[in-house]
Structure formats: C-alpha cells, structure tokens
Amino acid sequence: MKIGFVGIGPMGLGMARRLLDAGHMVSVHNRTEARARPVVDAGARWSATPADAARDAELVFSMLADDDAVETMTLGPDGIAAGLAAGAAHVSSSTISVALSGRLAAAHGTRGQGYLSATVLGRPPAAAAGELFVVVAGDLALQQRATPALEAMGQRIFRVGDDPTRANLVKLSLNFLIFSTIEQMSEIFALNDKAGLPPAELLEILTGSFFNAPVHRNYGRLIVERAFDPPGGPMTLAAKDARLFLEAGNDLAVPLPMGSLIHDRLLAAIARGEGGLDFAALSRRAREDAGLPD
Amino acid sequence: MKIGFVGIGPMGLGMARRLLDAGHMVSVHNRTEARARPVVDAGARWSATPADAARDAELVFSMLADDDAVETMTLGPDGIAAGLAAGAAHVSSSTISVALSGRLAAAHGTRGQGYLSATVLGRPPAAAAGELFVVVAGDLALQQRATPALEAMGQRIFRVGDDPTRANLVKLSLNFLIFSTIEQMSEIFALNDKAGLPPAELLEILTGSFFNAPVHRNYGRLIVERAFDPPGGPMTLAAKDARLFLEAGNDLAVPLPMGSLIHDRLLAAIARGEGGLDFAALSRRAREDAGLPD
Amino acid sequence: MKIGFVGIGPMGLGMARRLLDAGHMVSVHNRTEARARPVVDAGARWSATPADAARDAELVFSMLADDDAVETMTLGPDGIAAGLAAGAAHVSSSTISVALSGRLAAAHGTRGQGYLSATVLGRPPAAAAGELFVVVAGDLALQQRATPALEAMGQRIFRVGDDPTRANLVKLSLNFLIFSTIEQMSEIFALNDKAGLPPAELLEILTGSFFNAPVHRNYGRLIVERAFDPPGGPMTLAAKDARLFLEAGNDLAVPLPMGSLIHDRLLAAIARGEGGLDFAALSRRAREDAGLPD
Amino acid sequence: MKIGFVGIGPMGLGMARRLLDAGHMVSVHNRTEARARPVVDAGARWSATPADAARDAELVFSMLADDDAVETMTLGPDGIAAGLAAGAAHVSSSTISVALSGRLAAAHGTRGQGYLSATVLGRPPAAAAGELFVVVAGDLALQQRATPALEAMGQRIFRVGDDPTRANLVKLSLNFLIFSTIEQMSEIFALNDKAGLPPAELLEILTGSFFNAPVHRNYGRLIVERAFDPPGGPMTLAAKDARLFLEAGNDLAVPLPMGSLIHDRLLAAIARGEGGLDFAALSRRAREDAGLPD
C-alpha cells in the first residue's frame, strides 16, 4: 500500500519503519528533516510538506505531539487535507482531544476524505518492535482497508466502533489510568516509608501479589529508582493529557474527581520546576506533602 | 505445634483447616459455636473461650472482623492474653488499626507474651487452598518459630521487619489499592459509557494490554457484571478499612488525598443504603454522578 | 460621552440605562432587538450591528453570555472591531476566559483601538441601581477616560493594573468564591441536618456570628428556601465559570483543588438534569451524598 | 451561683473572670496552678482537683485542649464526675468530639448529674470581654438554669436543642468553615499573585464587596501579613478539629469532600514542620503548589 507518515518522533520512527518492513511504500514528513533520516535511509521517500506525504497515499498516518501540531499539519496550508485524494484517508495516532478529533473527522468528510483514529499504547521500543496496542475507531470499511497497516504496528488491535473520537477517549482514559496508578503507589509508598518500610520492599509485595500488571511493575520501578531524568514521557505531556481527559469529562458532563486530583498534582509538579522530568516524578508530591526527603 | 485459633469466619475456617492439614494440633474458639463445627469435625478441639484456646498453645491466631472484636477477644475477660503462657505468642491476622496493633504488642509484652502481626491477602477460597499472601512483622526469632504455621496458610510470605504494626499498615495500604483501582476503573467506565463504549469492551482493552493484574481482572469483572449481591466483601468493611488507612495517615502526618476521595465515596454508598453490597458497587457513584442509569 | 453598548440582557439593560441617566449618548445592539426596546424607549439609539454601535463611540461596552458570543460580536463580520475608530476603546464586562481577553487586547491593539476589561459584581437589581462593584484593568490613561462611564454603573471601582486580563481573573476568582461558599455551607448543612439540626437554624448561627457577609446571607437563604427555580444564575453558567477558572489555573500552572471539587460538583448537577436551576442548587449534591431527601 | 471552672488557659481565663465579675462564686482548677493565679487573685477559690472544683457547685464548666484532657479531667480519679453532686451539672465548652460528648452525657446521667455542651466562638480577647458566641445544647430546663452563667460570657446564645452533642457538631462545623475559607482565599491569592496581583489588593476587593465577614477580614489579614507566629490558634489544634469533623461525618455517614481536602492540607503543614504556626499558615500550601516563594 502507498502510505504517508507525518511526524517522525521516537514513536513515529518505529511505526514508520514497521510499515516499511511490512513492504509498504512510505512517504514521510517531519518538521525537522534530520530526524526523519533513519527512516529515509531505510527506504522511505522524503516529502517536503504534509500535503506531499499525503499526495498519492491511500492512507496517511500522523503521530504528533499535541492538538496544535495535529491541527496545523492537517488543516494548515500544505497540510494533509490539502494533499490527500478524495477516497483516501487520514489515520490519526496522536494523543489529541476528543474535540479536535471530531473537527478533523468533519473537515476530512467535507472533502470526501476518510478519517480514522488509531491511537496506540506503548513506548518507543514497542513501536520499533511492532508490539504496540492499537485502539481504532471510525468507518468500519475503512478500518478494514487499514488493517494491514495497523497489524504491521501492533500486537493487538482493539476496535471500538464507527465514531472515531472514541479511540481518542479510550487513549486519554488509559493514560489517566497510568497517572493515577502512579499516584496510588506514591501515597502508599510515602505512608509506609514514613513508618519505616522502604518503597522497594513494598513494591515487591505489590508485584508479588495482586498488583503485578505492567503498569505496576514499570512505573513502580521508575518511582523506586527515581529514574526521572531523562524522561520517558515528560510531565508537561502528561499534564496536557490529563487536561484533555478532564475536558472530555466536562463536555460529556461526567465528573472525574480522581482525574481532577491527578491534574492538580501534575500542575504542582510543573509549577515546581519538574515539567521536564518523567511523569513518574509526580510521586515526589506525596513524599513532599509527607515531609519526606526527595 | 499446638496452635490456638480465635475467629472461625469464612477466612478463619480455611486458615484453621490448613493448620490441621499440616499436622498441627489446633484449638478453636468462635463467638458462635456452630460456625466452628466444620473445623471441629475435621479434628480441632473446641474451646469455650479465647483464653481456653490460648491456654496450652505455642501460638494463637486471631482472625476477626474489626478493632472492637480483636480488643475484646484479646484483652477482655477470658481473652487471649488471660490464657496465653509467658513465652507463647499471639499472631494477629485481622485487618485492624495500626494503633490497636501497637497497643496489643505492648499489652502482650508486659505479660511476657510475644506478638506478631501476620495479615493476609486473598479471599476465602484462597484461604482454603493455602494460597494466601502473608505479610508478617514482629520479633524476628518469633517470626522464625511461626514460619511452619504461616507456610501452611500462604503461598508466599513477605517479611516487613520487627515492628508488628508495619504488617497492619501494609494490609491497609493494599486494601486502599484495591478500592482506588475500582474508582479508577469506575471513572473511565462512566466516561466512555456516556460516549457509547460499554464497560465490558473497555475492560477487555485494559486486561488485554497494560492493566491485567488480578486487581483489574477480578474487580473489573464484578463491576461489569454488577455482581454486588451477595457481597464478597461488604461496603461497610471497606469503609472501615479506608477509615483506618486515613487514621494511620493522620497519626503519621501523611496526607492521602486519594485515600480521602475513596473514603468519601464509600460513605456516600453507605448513606445511600448500599452498605450491604460488595464494595465493588462503589462504581455506582461515578455512574450516578454522570447521570447514567444504575 | 458617545458610548456603544452591545448585549442588552438583564445585566446590560441596567448598565446601559445608568449610562443614559448619567447623560451619555448611548447606541445599543442586541442579538434580539425586542429585548433592547426598554433602553431604546429610554433614549438610546438602536444599532443593527455591533459595528454600528461602535461606529462613532469613544467607548463601546460589551456584556454577553460567554466566550463564543464575545468573540463573534467583537471579531466577527460587523463586529465591534470592524466599526470602532482608532483611538476609541472596547470595554469588555462579560465573564470570559483570561485567554480570550488576551486575544481581544491583541486584536484591538493591532487596529490602534484600545481595550479595557471592566468586569462587574452584582445581580440585575444592583445593575439597575448603579450599585455594581467594578473591577477594571488595562491602559491607565484609558481607565481615566472611562471613569465617568464606570462610575455611572458602580458603587465602587477597583483598579487592578494595566494588564486587562487581570480583571477577568479576579472576576472568575470571585465567582469561585461564591460557588465554594455554597459548597462549604452545603456540607455543614447536610451534616448537621442528619444530626437533627435544620439548615435554617444553622444558617442563623452563621449569619449571627462570624459568617455574615452577603455571600453567606444571600446564598444561605437560597439554599435554605430551596429557591432554585427560576434561577438567578443558572448552573450551566456557573459550570462554565468554574471551567474558565480552572483553565486559568492550568495556563498559569496553579493547582486549584477546591476549584476542581466545585467543578466536579457542578458537572454532576448538570448530568443529573439540574443545569437549568440556580447554581445554589449545587447544595443538593451534599444532601444526596448524605442520603438526605431532596 | 456557685460555679466550678476547670481549665484556665487563655480562653478559660477570660470566661472565669466574666463569671466572677457577674457576681458568681467561682472555684477553679487548672493542671498548672500558676496559670490560674490571675483569676484566683481576682477572687476565685483554688481547688486542688477537678473533683474539688465541682464539689459544692451547681454548675462546673470545663474548657480544655482536647478529648484526652476532657476525658481525664471528667471521668478520671478526682475528676469532675467524682465531685459533682447529683442534680448539679457539668457544662462542657471545649472543642471535643461528638463521640466523647455523647459518652460524657451518658456517664453523668448514670450518676444523676446533668450535662450540657456550651461551645464557644471567639478568641481570648472576646472571652475577656464577654463577647463570645455560645452554642448550647442539652436538657432544656438545665439550659435555663445555666443561662445567667452563659450570659456572663457571651454576647449571644444560640440554642440547638436537647441533644448536647449537637453543640459540639456545630462548633466543629464552624471551625471547618474558618479553615475552608482560608483555603478558598489561599487558592485565589496564589492564582492572582502568579498573574501579578498581590494578595493585599485582592483582599481589599473581597472585603470591599461581598466577602466582608469577620472570617474574611480577620483571616485574610493574617494571610496577607504572614502573621503566623506566634499563633493565635496553632495548626496542630486545627488538624485535630478537622479530624473530629471528619469523624463526625464518618459516624453519621456524611461524605465531606471539602473537609477531607482541608484535613489533608493541615497534615501536610504539620509534616513540613509548620505545626506550631497559626493555622492561617495553611495558605502556604497553595503558594507552594503554585511554585510561589514563601
């Protein structure tokens, strides 16, 4: 299949290479050309603009940092929508707001273009290995056409219906689940630490009993080892995701008190100069509130 | 070993039988004699009082509902402390407050009696199968002496030092982890349900990706199936545990905002007449706040 | 002075009449012409568009429902900015976001037009009596020029510097203070009511001792009398204001946990079908959570 | 009237002197005799024990720091109950738990002694001037008998029925109202300060408009002037009161989310070494979370 790919960051790099490896013809665009070099060296074609990357493609993926980037790269001059043929489709994999996803669907629709949300779970090594989890939503026939591309990237594909915004809502929900699991663990780590039991020992009990999911093991380890710098995912991005989660709740009239708590914690971290650390460092707030040393 | 066992509820029943099956001589007491029948039929000796159950024992376990029951059965007239020989020890497995555990340790100490906290994770079937997780704290030599008994009950033993109250704090912490995981899932289930994605489908995504611990699978299933009655663990006991968790935080000067949120949710459930349901029914609060039907 | 006035709702009506009564020449525009009739009958000139109302004015006030209305009426075709002369100024009195206020300031600035925020506290009767409190921010010389108009409307003018967005932030902050005072009172009313002391009696203690500000007396009375319908200020507008308050916190990296709590309460009210009631009805949430009848 | 008074701290001192000034015969006891000197010099009789102070009295007041002190001074050896004649009454003015108040009522009742709760609002200067607000509950005939004594102390007496615990619940509720008003103001002070508007200027707007109750003026001033040391009321006592407020909610099954937030804030202050400061210093938490300097 001819596929465009816009946004060659750590995640996009792995995803685009998996498409190449699966035999697709891939055109890539990235704001900074140099970062796309490895995938171009691996056989992708460089495109000077998102519109160019989309021009002859059946599908064009985007994997970008935030709403602003996705809106500009899609609807701006020389954006994806300007190059994409009628009947071809944009597959948005970025973690964006439900509201923007709805606007993109509408904007492509008026041009006769298709639109899918195919959000992904996993960090860059999983992207490179094709072991992401993919949550896809949108027109069902289009989902079928995109399946070979999605299977190249993911170890498992979850389908959540024909409204593309649902995949965005699920992604924001899962990110909230990660953040709030960090907060859960941080509160009990602080409490037990102050009583004399080190976090590493408590984590061993968690992961040795009923709390042994990857979310517990991976983030528990980051907290215990204080492995916050360089960040796997920075606090500022987490705060953005928490904000989008709450905005979705606001728009649907669903109160999310635990979501509110997490968002406030993340803002405090940023205010205290920790915006560039890994978001697992939100564990510092519970320690600080307990009067424990960093 | 000669072992006493006070409190033959659903958990105590399995634990006492495991001790019998491992070849120990077991004397049992329960407030209601009839409920101890199965374990007496299996070879335990009936004791009319906690003091009697403790009389000749090297170790006497207690597994009771709450602080009041443990205090009465231990320090009341004909309580464990009245019967236990100097040099013998009380092993407390109930989910009780850190403060009471400290008082019990002191009370036994003044009588030359030993005291261990050996709290347990798992529901009655795990108790019957000897597959509990045991968290034990207290005098290290005493822990060694108790090991054969603990191994009869548990698939794994976690040792958290020589201060017995730590095992109580860990147990309260793990219960909080269960309650707050229910709240986490409840918030995203409500949000996505209102957007059209049923909880069962979202749970499949959780347990099929990074959120596949027993705590997610077991409680996620209860929520999705609305399997709240009869309760595995009633809301009132959960509210009690959440209160003890917050009291521990108060006494150690550790703020626990997520703990506070959970406690408030549990109180609301009780106030609305759901105290007798399984505590997984706290998922109803998020649905109610979102205007979703029961 | 020649003054334009855009937005003749219950508040704008009183404000525009005060300007007329003070001897100013006033041109008015409102989306629905009929609602402007009373002020036209009192001597104002009708303008078919916001641009027309602004055309010859030295100052043009706007008093509208929300960000969308203000943005459209200001920057849309035939908006205020299209009619206002260079050197003249727009005085925005609506409760809008800090972010939009900043954009309006910039947009007017590029046209050589002035911009002030002059937000107001008080309900329609205070507006009609010229007894509003006015919080004004923006260019200091411009504030001086606007003083006669502001004094016609307000019993007192608070000046908060030359950055116009500050007056918006103060207004959102004061509204939060109202909402959270309602929540404060609602929690203690529910608690004491369940213990047998009716809210009316507790309110008398509040207002008879240290809690006797208008915010306590006015909203306490609404709660006690359940005077929620018709609304003085509807729940949906309060939820909007609470959202803008939190957005300001997000943008400045200031966590606002009590603000988050209020926003979640307001969303729950809307989700439960109470969006059209007076926002004092958020007192129902605490009662409901306590298992008390409506 | 012959009146006993137990507890001559800063509040008790003023209250006892007001009783003397009104012509009553007063016997006083205090743990530290020296602190009772001024009131003995003014004509009170010194009693070596609470029982002695109660011996011939018709009424014996207690004004002590916390539950432990009240329980010991009332029910301990040589406590009030040991000296008080049948038919005479104990009037408890301390800020204690609803649960203890209920136990005291029962304990006195079994001895044929009366019991009233007469909690007070106001700081030491108001006590010295007889300008406290008094909230009284308990047997109505007994309230009548106590009226002359209560009127000597208070500018106004609020009667809340025949269940003495209600006066305790009201007192805890009003203290919560003070703490949460501090938090309200602290959040908006932090937010606006970060945007460039100093707290002193915002406070002037509050107290110049709808937020002009003593609770706003007095605590707003303490916050703005950072007048935290020496404390009027220390953080540790406030944390105790907030805990008792939440305990009352727990026992009545009334969730109090704003109460939970306040309690967590107070614990954080204590954990960070601020337990000895005035509780108005809880304003520091919002500043700290916002990244603002102390």
Side-chain angles (χ1 to χ4, degrees):
Chain A
M1 214 175 336
K2 287 186 172 176
I3 298 178
F5 204 106
V6 175
I8 305 294
M11 291 295 292
L13 179 66
M15 293 162 75
R17 286 195 69 147
R18 289 292 302 179
L19 292 171
L20 281 173
D21 292 349
H24 301 288
M25 297 177 54
V26 182
S27 298
V28 300
H29 173 75
N30 194 52
R31 204 169 37 131
T32 314
E33 183 174 351
R35 300 187 67 177
R37 191 75 45 87
V39 70
V40 169
D41 289 347
R45 185 168 64 85
W46 170 252
S47 302
T49 66
D52 284 345
R55 195 87 57 196
D56 300 317
E58 287 177 66
L59 298 178
V60 57
F61 283 81
S62 60
M63 187 65 187
L64 298 155
D66 56 25
D67 274 34
D68 282 352
V70 172
E71 188 151 24
T72 304
M73 291 289 206
T74 305
L75 303 178
D78 293 319
I80 290 168
L84 197 65
H90 177 191
V91 185
S92 168
S93 292
S94 315
T95 302
I96 57 171
S97 68
V98 170
L100 176 59
S101 187
R103 288 204 305 277
L104 294 180
H108 284 299
T110 61
R111 288 168 170 86
Q113 299 162 347
Y115 174 76
L116 289 181
S117 287
T119 57
V120 294
L121 284 78
R123 292 201 165 200
E131 293 181 351
L132 296 170
F133 294 97
V134 180
V135 180
V136 62
D139 179 79
L140 300 183
L142 187 51
Q143 285 191 36
Q144 280 316 112
R145 279 165 48 201
T147 295
L150 300 177
E151 285 181 343
M153 297 171 177
Q155 62 172 283
R156 188 161 167 191
I157 298 170
F158 299 101
R159 301 179 184 279
V160 293
D162 59 3
D163 175 352
T165 66
R166 270 195 215 154
N168 302 96
L169 191 62
V170 168
K171 170 65 177 169
L172 293 171
S173 299
L174 299 182
N175 280 8
F176 156 73
L177 223 52
I178 294 173
F179 308 150
S180 56
T181 299
I182 292 171
E183 172 69 18
Q184 282 183 320
M185 293 193 291
S186 302
E187 293 193 10
I188 65 171
F189 285 172
L191 179 66
N192 287 273
D193 197 354
K194 207 160 174 183
L197 185 69
E201 292 187 35
L202 185 52
L203 180 60
E204 199 185 320
I205 299 176
L206 300 191
T207 56
S209 60
F210 298 148
F211 312 93
N212 59 0
V215 71
H216 298 113
R217 284 187 276 111
N218 298 348
Y219 293 97
R221 191 183 55 73
L222 291 177
I223 296 171
V224 163
E225 298 180 358
R226 292 170 169 70
F228 305 141
D229 196 8
M235 195 78 75
T236 46
L237 273 185
K240 182 263 290 180
D241 291 353
R243 179 173 58 79
L244 298 182
F245 179 67
L246 292 180
E247 279 182 15
N250 181 79
D251 294 347
L252 288 161
V254 177
L256 299 162
M258 199 175 274
S260 295
L261 168 57
I262 293 304
H263 184 240
D264 284 325
R265 287 288 208 195
L266 290 164
L267 286 185
I270 291 171
R272 295 176 72 67
E274 303 182 358
L277 297 184
D278 192 282
F279 58 74
L282 77 82
S283 61
R284 286 188 170 177
R285 298 281 73 72
R287 288 187 69 80
E288 181 178 71
D289 279 358
L292 289 166
D294 213 25
Chain B
M1 218 179 330
K2 286 185 171 177
I3 298 178
F5 205 106
V6 176
I8 306 294
M11 290 295 293
L13 179 66
M15 292 162 74
R17 289 197 67 149
R18 289 291 303 177
L19 291 171
L20 282 173
D21 292 350
H24 300 290
M25 296 177 54
V26 182
S27 297
V28 299
H29 173 75
N30 193 54
R31 205 168 37 130
T32 313
E33 184 175 349
R35 299 187 68 179
R37 191 71 47 86
V39 71
V40 170
D41 290 347
R45 185 167 66 86
W46 169 252
S47 302
T49 66
D52 284 345
R55 196 87 57 197
D56 300 317
E58 288 178 66
L59 298 177
V60 56
F61 283 81
S62 60
M63 187 65 188
L64 298 155
D66 56 24
D67 274 33
D68 281 353
V70 172
E71 188 151 25
T72 302
M73 291 290 206
T74 304
L75 302 178
D78 293 319
I80 289 168
L84 198 64
H90 177 191
V91 185
S92 169
S93 292
S94 315
T95 301
I96 59 171
S97 69
V98 170
L100 176 58
S101 187
R103 288 204 305 278
L104 295 180
H108 284 299
T110 62
R111 288 168 170 85
Q113 300 162 346
Y115 175 76
L116 289 180
S117 287
T119 55
V120 295
L121 284 79
R123 293 201 163 199
E131 293 181 351
L132 297 171
F133 294 97
V134 180
V135 180
V136 63
D139 178 79
L140 300 183
L142 188 51
Q143 284 191 36
Q144 281 315 113
R145 278 165 51 200
T147 295
L150 301 177
E151 285 181 341
M153 298 168 176
Q155 63 171 283
R156 188 162 170 190
I157 298 171
F158 299 101
R159 300 179 185 280
V160 292
D162 58 4
D163 175 352
T165 65
R166 270 195 215 150
N168 303 97
L169 192 61
V170 168
K171 171 64 178 171
L172 294 172
S173 299
L174 299 183
N175 281 9
F176 156 73
L177 224 51
I178 294 173
F179 309 149
S180 55
T181 301
I182 293 171
E183 172 69 17
Q184 282 182 322
M185 293 192 291
S186 302
E187 294 193 9
I188 64 171
F189 285 172
L191 179 66
N192 287 273
D193 196 353
K194 206 159 174 183
L197 185 69
E201 293 186 36
L202 185 51
L203 180 59
E204 200 185 320
I205 298 176
L206 299 191
T207 56
S209 60
F210 298 149
F211 312 93
N212 58 1
V215 71
H216 299 112
R217 283 186 277 111
N218 298 348
Y219 293 97
R221 191 183 54 75
L222 291 177
I223 296 170
V224 163
E225 299 179 357
R226 293 171 168 69
F228 305 141
D229 197 7
M235 195 78 76
T236 47
L237 273 186
K240 183 263 291 178
D241 292 352
R243 180 173 56 78
L244 297 183
F245 179 67
L246 293 180
E247 279 183 16
N250 182 78
D251 294 348
L252 288 161
V254 178
L256 299 162
M258 200 176 273
S260 296
L261 168 57
I262 294 303
H263 184 240
D264 284 325
R265 287 287 208 196
L266 290 163
L267 286 185
I270 291 171
R272 297 177 70 69
E274 302 183 358
L277 299 185
D278 193 281
F279 59 74
L282 78 81
S283 61
R284 285 187 170 178
R285 299 277 76 71
R287 289 187 68 82
E288 180 178 73
D289 279 358
L292 289 166
D294 215 23
Chain C
M1 217 175 337
K2 286 186 170 175
I3 298 178
F5 205 106
V6 174
I8 305 294
M11 290 295 293
L13 179 66
M15 293 162 73
R17 289 197 67 150
R18 290 291 302 177
L19 292 172
L20 282 173
D21 291 351
H24 300 289
M25 296 177 54
V26 182
S27 297
V28 300
H29 173 75
N30 193 52
R31 204 169 38 130
T32 314
E33 183 174 352
R35 299 187 67 178
R37 191 72 47 87
V39 73
V40 170
D41 289 346
R45 185 169 64 86
W46 169 252
S47 303
T49 66
D52 284 344
R55 196 85 57 197
D56 300 316
E58 288 176 68
L59 298 177
V60 57
F61 283 81
S62 60
M63 187 65 188
L64 298 155
D66 57 23
D67 274 32
D68 281 352
V70 173
E71 188 151 23
T72 304
M73 291 289 206
T74 305
L75 303 178
D78 293 318
I80 290 168
L84 198 64
H90 176 192
V91 185
S92 168
S93 292
S94 315
T95 301
I96 58 171
S97 69
V98 171
L100 175 59
S101 187
R103 289 204 304 278
L104 295 180
H108 284 300
T110 61
R111 289 169 170 84
Q113 301 163 346
Y115 174 76
L116 290 180
S117 286
T119 56
V120 295
L121 285 78
R123 293 202 164 199
E131 294 180 350
L132 297 171
F133 294 97
V134 180
V135 180
V136 64
D139 179 78
L140 300 182
L142 187 51
Q143 285 191 36
Q144 281 316 111
R145 278 165 49 200
T147 295
L150 301 177
E151 285 181 342
M153 298 170 178
Q155 63 171 283
R156 188 162 168 190
I157 297 170
F158 299 101
R159 300 180 185 278
V160 293
D162 59 3
D163 175 352
T165 65
R166 271 196 214 151
N168 303 96
L169 192 61
V170 168
K171 170 64 178 171
L172 294 171
S173 299
L174 299 182
N175 280 9
F176 156 73
L177 223 52
I178 294 173
F179 308 150
S180 56
T181 299
I182 292 171
E183 173 68 18
Q184 283 183 319
M185 294 193 290
S186 302
E187 293 193 10
I188 65 171
F189 285 172
L191 179 66
N192 287 273
D193 196 352
K194 206 158 173 183
L197 185 69
E201 293 187 35
L202 185 51
L203 180 60
E204 199 185 320
I205 298 176
L206 299 192
T207 56
S209 60
F210 299 147
F211 312 92
N212 59 0
V215 71
H216 298 113
R217 284 187 276 111
N218 298 348
Y219 293 98
R221 191 182 55 74
L222 291 177
I223 296 171
V224 163
E225 298 180 358
R226 294 172 168 70
F228 305 141
D229 196 8
M235 195 77 76
T236 45
L237 272 185
K240 182 263 289 178
D241 290 353
R243 180 172 57 77
L244 297 182
F245 180 66
L246 293 180
E247 279 182 15
N250 181 79
D251 294 347
L252 287 161
V254 177
L256 299 162
M258 198 175 274
S260 296
L261 168 57
I262 294 303
H263 184 241
D264 284 325
R265 287 289 208 194
L266 290 163
L267 287 185
I270 291 171
R272 295 176 72 69
E274 302 182 358
L277 298 184
D278 192 281
F279 58 74
L282 77 81
S283 61
R284 285 187 169 176
R285 298 280 74 71
R287 288 187 69 82
E288 181 178 72
D289 279 357
L292 290 166
D294 213 25
Chain D
M1 213 176 336
K2 286 186 171 175
I3 298 178
F5 204 106
V6 175
I8 305 293
M11 290 295 293
L13 180 65
M15 294 161 74
R17 288 196 68 148
R18 290 291 301 178
L19 291 171
L20 283 172
D21 291 351
H24 300 290
M25 297 177 55
V26 182
S27 298
V28 300
H29 172 75
N30 194 52
R31 205 170 34 133
T32 312
E33 183 175 350
R35 300 187 67 177
R37 192 72 46 87
V39 72
V40 170
D41 289 347
R45 187 168 64 85
W46 168 251
S47 302
T49 66
D52 284 345
R55 197 85 57 194
D56 300 316
E58 288 177 66
L59 298 177
V60 57
F61 282 82
S62 60
M63 186 65 187
L64 298 155
D66 56 24
D67 274 33
D68 281 352
V70 172
E71 187 151 24
T72 303
M73 291 290 205
T74 304
L75 303 178
D78 293 318
I80 289 169
L84 198 64
H90 177 190
V91 185
S92 168
S93 292
S94 315
T95 302
I96 58 171
S97 68
V98 170
L100 176 59
S101 188
R103 289 204 305 278
L104 295 180
H108 283 299
T110 62
R111 288 167 168 85
Q113 300 162 346
Y115 174 76
L116 290 181
S117 287
T119 55
V120 295
L121 285 78
R123 293 200 164 199
E131 293 182 350
L132 296 171
F133 294 97
V134 181
V135 180
V136 62
D139 179 79
L140 299 184
L142 187 50
Q143 285 190 36
Q144 282 314 113
R145 279 165 48 201
T147 295
L150 301 177
E151 285 181 343
M153 297 169 179
Q155 62 171 284
R156 187 161 169 191
I157 298 170
F158 298 101
R159 301 178 183 279
V160 294
D162 59 4
D163 174 352
T165 65
R166 269 194 216 152
N168 303 96
L169 191 61
V170 168
K171 171 65 179 168
L172 294 171
S173 299
L174 299 183
N175 281 8
F176 156 73
L177 223 52
I178 294 172
F179 309 149
S180 56
T181 300
I182 292 171
E183 172 69 17
Q184 282 182 320
M185 292 193 292
S186 302
E187 294 192 9
I188 65 171
F189 285 172
L191 179 66
N192 287 273
D193 197 353
K194 207 160 175 183
L197 185 69
E201 293 186 35
L202 185 52
L203 180 60
E204 199 185 320
I205 299 175
L206 299 190
T207 56
S209 60
F210 298 148
F211 311 93
N212 59 0
V215 71
H216 299 113
R217 283 187 277 110
N218 298 347
Y219 293 98
R221 191 183 55 74
L222 291 176
I223 297 170
V224 163
E225 298 179 359
R226 292 170 168 71
F228 306 141
D229 196 7
M235 195 79 75
T236 46
L237 273 186
K240 183 262 291 179
D241 291 352
R243 179 174 56 79
L244 297 182
F245 179 67
L246 293 180
E247 280 183 16
N250 181 79
D251 294 347
L252 288 161
V254 177
L256 299 162
M258 199 176 274
S260 296
L261 168 58
I262 293 303
H263 184 241
D264 284 324
R265 287 288 208 193
L266 289 164
L267 287 185
I270 291 172
R272 296 176 72 69
E274 303 183 357
L277 298 185
D278 193 282
F279 58 73
L282 78 81
S283 61
R284 284 188 171 175
R285 298 278 76 71
R287 289 188 68 80
E288 181 177 72
D289 279 358
L292 289 166
D294 214 24

